[in-house]
């Protein structure tokens, strides 16, 4: 039987923990809201961008661009985007598991793999593979477009230099507040954007391009890559907070359960000690008779 | 009332401008250009510089950094990485940025680092465009 004092301290401790998890839950939900807003603001940009890209690629021969060149895959690079902080359930470990599976797959096929880690958690857990080429840590809490640009420029330079033949992004897709899924997205070579049927193609023929379509593509493709990375980072940001919210919610309710259980233990222990004392008194009184 | 054209400036942080205007002037790839209502479909890349537009007597200046613009269906859409109104620009900060960029440019020239130089050049252009946008008002 644990002593009364021990149980009491434990209850206090668990209650404090639940206070912290509750606070973290609220912070995460506030952050989630702002992350979602950021995503919402970014949406018109991406949709416009895709529209223009599909207009353009409808009108020109796409295979002539170095960033679109499809090569035999000998080396592959994975850009793994995770959060900087932990305590968000299995969110990061799911992403990393997906990455590790991908690495194992490529190893089996004899394809070389290099990694680029965005976010501290991914780097911490993947550095033991010895394949990390570059890492960007401590940028996930307040990243801007230029952070994404850095990642995208570096990856595309590596691609253009012929060191890798394919680049993929692994990140946490934000499906809803309750569901976040690790996702793999092809990054390089740039995939031609699918137009929405006949109508877009018709318009694209009438456009005046300044400078030529090829030169515009040269400018737009790197931008498009930035957009893709930025988008993935936004998704990870939102997913991280959503995952933390759920994790903290679970932690809070687990704390409550433990407190309930401990309270019963405490009450039982108190009752037992009272009974024991009563027995003592009764026993003593009996002996005096 | 002259005919108007719809101006949309979209940045990754949301729409900056969405307005019907008389004329738009923008820094295109091959030099500045102006767009009036009912312009033919047009697509151009945009340099760092100043986007100005007029609506009646009102004239606004925005500093925009690289991207592209598209004209179709009497709408001109700018997709740029950032857009700031001239009146919202912090002049002293832009001045500091300009000095910093100039210093870095001088350093890069000595060490002939091409990456740093292009970065510093872009930063300088942005700073200059900011100052210009702030001063034209």
């Amino acid at each position: 039987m644990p002593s009364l004092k021990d149980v009491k301290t434990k209850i206090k401790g668990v209650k404090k923990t639940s206070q912290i998890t509750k606070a973290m839950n609220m912070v995460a939900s506030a952050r989630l809201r702002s992350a979602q807003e950021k995503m919402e603001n970014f949406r018109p940009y991406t949709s416009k961008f895709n529209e223009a890209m599909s207009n353009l690629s409808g009108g020109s021969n796409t295979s002539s661009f170095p960033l679109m060149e499809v090569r035999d895959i000998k080396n592959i690079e994975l850009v793994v985007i995770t959060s900087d902080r932990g305590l968000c359930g299995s969110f990061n470990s799911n992403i990393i598991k997906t990455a590790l599976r991908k690495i194992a797959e490529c190893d089996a096929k004899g394809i070389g793999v290099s990694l680029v880690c965005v976010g501290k958690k991914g780097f911490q857990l993947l550095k033991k593979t010895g394949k990390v080429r570059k890492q960007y840590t401590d940028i996930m809490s307040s990243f801007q477009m230029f952070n994404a640009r850095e990642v995208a420029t570096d990856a595309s330079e590596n691609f253009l230099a012929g060191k890798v033949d394919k680049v993929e992004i692994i990140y946490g897709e934000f499906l809803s507040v309750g569901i976040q899924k690790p996702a793999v997205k092809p990054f390089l070579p740039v995939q031609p954007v699918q137009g929405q049927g006949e109508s877009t193609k018709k318009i694209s023929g009438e456009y005046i391009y300044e400078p030529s379509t090829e030169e515009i593509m040269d400018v737009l493709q790197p931008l498009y890559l930035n957009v893709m990375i930025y988008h993935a980072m936004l998704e990870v940001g939102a997913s991280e907070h959503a995952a933390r919210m759920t994790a903290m919610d679970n932690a809070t309710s687990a704390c409550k359960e433990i407190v309930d259980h401990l309270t019963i233990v405490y009450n039982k222990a108190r009752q037992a000690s009272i009974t024991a004392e009563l027995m003592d008194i009764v026993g003593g009184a009996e002996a005096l008779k | 009332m002259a005919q108007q054209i719809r101006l949309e400036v979209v940045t990754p942080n949301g729409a900056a401008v969405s307005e019907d205007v008389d004329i738009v002037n923008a820094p295109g790839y091959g030099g500045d250009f102006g767009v009036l209502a009912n312009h033919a479909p047009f697509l151009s890349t945009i340099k760092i510089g100043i986007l100005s537009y007029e609506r009646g007597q009102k004239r606004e200046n925005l500093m925009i950094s690289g991207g592209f613009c598209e004209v179709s269906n009497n709408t001109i859409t700018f997709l740029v990485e950032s857009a700031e109104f001239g009146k919202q620009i912090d002049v002293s900060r832009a001045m500091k940025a300009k000095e910093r960029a100039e210093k870095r440019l001088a350093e890069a020239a000595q060490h002939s680092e091409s990456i740093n130089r292009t970065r510093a050049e872009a930063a300088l252009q942005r700073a200059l465009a900011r100052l210009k946008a702030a001063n034209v008002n």
Side-chain angles (χ1 to χ4, degrees):
Chain A
M1 206 78 192
S3 83
L4 276 182
K5 194 162 172 282
D6 284 351
V7 181
K8 214 170 182 179
T9 345
K10 210 164 180 190
I11 291 178
K12 249 188 202 163
V14 175
K15 270 188 182 159
K16 286 218 170 103
T17 310
S18 86
Q19 254 173 10
I20 292 169
T21 54
K22 214 187 252 168
M24 279 184 78
N25 178 355
M26 282 194 288
V27 171
S29 75
R31 292 240 170 100
L32 172 66
R33 218 169 303 134
S34 71
Q36 269 181 310
E37 202 175 295
K38 227 172 164 183
M39 257 168 79
E40 208 62 48
N41 285 339
F42 189 55
R43 198 160 292 153
Y45 191 86
T46 25
S47 62
K48 278 274 172 204
F49 213 108
N50 284 338
E51 215 175 273
M53 280 293 275
S54 70
N55 274 351
L56 269 170
S57 40
S60 60
N61 179 18
T62 50
S63 56
S64 57
F65 300 104
L67 280 172
M68 285 183 131
E69 192 185 82
V70 181
R71 297 190 284 243
D72 285 340
I73 297 160
K74 292 192 205 79
N75 291 299
I76 190 166
E77 180 151 272
L78 303 173
V79 180
V80 184
I81 307 179
T82 55
S83 70
D84 272 335
R85 291 148 176 256
L87 289 181
C88 43
S90 55
F91 173 65
N92 285 320
S93 62
N94 279 343
I95 296 175
I96 286 156
K97 246 182 248 159
T98 314
L100 288 174
R101 208 177 306 135
K102 195 89 198 171
I103 293 170
E105 249 172 55
C106 292
D107 278 345
K109 282 188 214 151
I111 299 168
V113 187
S114 60
L115 297 170
V116 172
C117 294
V118 182
K120 199 155 64 188
K121 281 288 147 192
F123 174 62
Q124 281 170 349
L125 290 160
L126 286 170
K127 68 180 163 197
K128 61 171 182 279
T129 60
K131 294 179 195 292
V132 178
R133 186 175 66 83
K134 208 152 190 181
Q135 90 267 15
Y136 304 87
T137 51
D138 295 316
I139 58 168
M140 291 307 286
S141 55
S142 60
F143 57 86
Q144 290 285 324
M145 197 69 188
F146 65 84
N147 296 117
R149 186 163 47 213
E150 224 174 287
V151 180
T153 317
D154 176 64
S156 45
E157 270 167 11
N158 208 29
F159 177 79
L160 289 176
K163 284 181 196 144
V164 289
D165 308 301
K166 195 177 179 189
V167 183
E168 285 183 344
I169 317 177
I170 300 179
Y171 68 106
E173 200 179 3
F174 182 84
L175 296 173
S176 74
V177 178
I179 309 165
Q180 303 89 33
K181 228 173 56 183
V184 184
K185 206 159 74 170
F187 181 57
L188 281 165
V190 177
Q191 312 271 317
V193 183
Q194 294 297 315
Q196 293 108 333
E198 289 288 303
S199 58
T200 48
K201 268 180 194 152
K202 238 181 240 165
I203 303 168
S204 74
E206 296 164 9
Y207 268 84
I208 306 166
Y209 294 104
E210 183 184 303
S212 65
T213 42
E214 282 75 25
E215 278 171 88
I216 290 185
M217 279 303 256
D218 277 345
V219 177
L220 283 199
Q221 282 178 346
L223 279 178
Y224 182 64
L225 297 176
N226 294 350
V227 167
M228 267 168 80
I229 294 273
Y230 189 69
H231 180 75
M233 282 167 81
L234 282 177
E235 293 244 346
V236 169
S239 306
E240 177 200 349
H241 296 308
R244 182 165 301 126
M245 239 174 85
T246 326
M248 287 303 127
D249 212 31
N250 290 342
T252 313
S253 58
C255 279
K256 213 175 150 236
E257 257 170 49
I258 296 174
V259 168
D260 285 350
H261 170 73
L262 284 178
T263 313
I264 291 173
V265 172
Y266 177 76
N267 288 344
K268 270 187 185 159
R270 193 191 57 195
Q271 206 54 53
S273 78
I274 291 170
T275 315
E277 270 171 36
L278 268 177
M279 294 289 277
D280 267 0
I281 294 165
V282 171
E286 222 36 67
L288 281 178
K289 267 184 196 164
Chain B
M1 189 73 193
Q3 275 192 312
Q4 290 189 318
I5 184 165
R6 183 107 192 135
L7 169 69
E8 310 251 3
V9 179
V10 187
T11 71
N13 298 324
V17 185
S18 180
E19 228 177 313
D20 287 323
V21 298
D22 296 328
I23 181 169
V24 181
N25 286 302
Y29 176 85
D32 287 9
F33 61 86
V35 174
L36 292 164
N38 298 321
H39 194 285
F42 172 64
L43 209 149
S44 170
T45 52
I46 297 292
K47 291 191 294 193
I48 298 168
I50 294 170
L51 163 74
S52 65
Y53 61 91
E54 280 171 36
R55 184 184 186 193
Q57 295 302 310
K58 206 179 93 186
R59 189 187 158 93
E60 294 279 5
N61 290 298
L62 280 113
M63 173 266 168
I64 53 173
S65 59
F68 68 98
C69 97
E70 186 189 19
V71 184
S72 65
N73 300 329
N74 206 24
T75 304
I76 177 161
T77 312
F78 285 86
L79 281 157
V80 286
E81 283 190 13
S82 68
E84 287 166 39
F85 275 101
K87 53 198 170 195
Q88 289 166 355
I89 287 170
D90 184 341
V91 178
S92 62
R93 212 184 123 194
M95 278 300 273
K96 271 185 206 138
K98 184 186 153 225
E99 281 157 22
R100 209 166 43 232
E102 276 167 350
K103 212 173 110 197
R104 224 180 289 153
L105 211 56
E107 277 169 22
Q110 282 170 0
H111 299 99
S112 66
E113 289 168 84
S114 61
I115 302 168
N116 282 347
R117 183 185 291 159
T118 37
R119 250 197 216 163
E121 262 166 19
L124 181 62
Q125 274 177 13
R126 275 198 297 275
L128 286 175
R130 278 209 181 89
L131 286 174
K132 209 166 149 197
N135 285 337
V136 187
N137 272 354

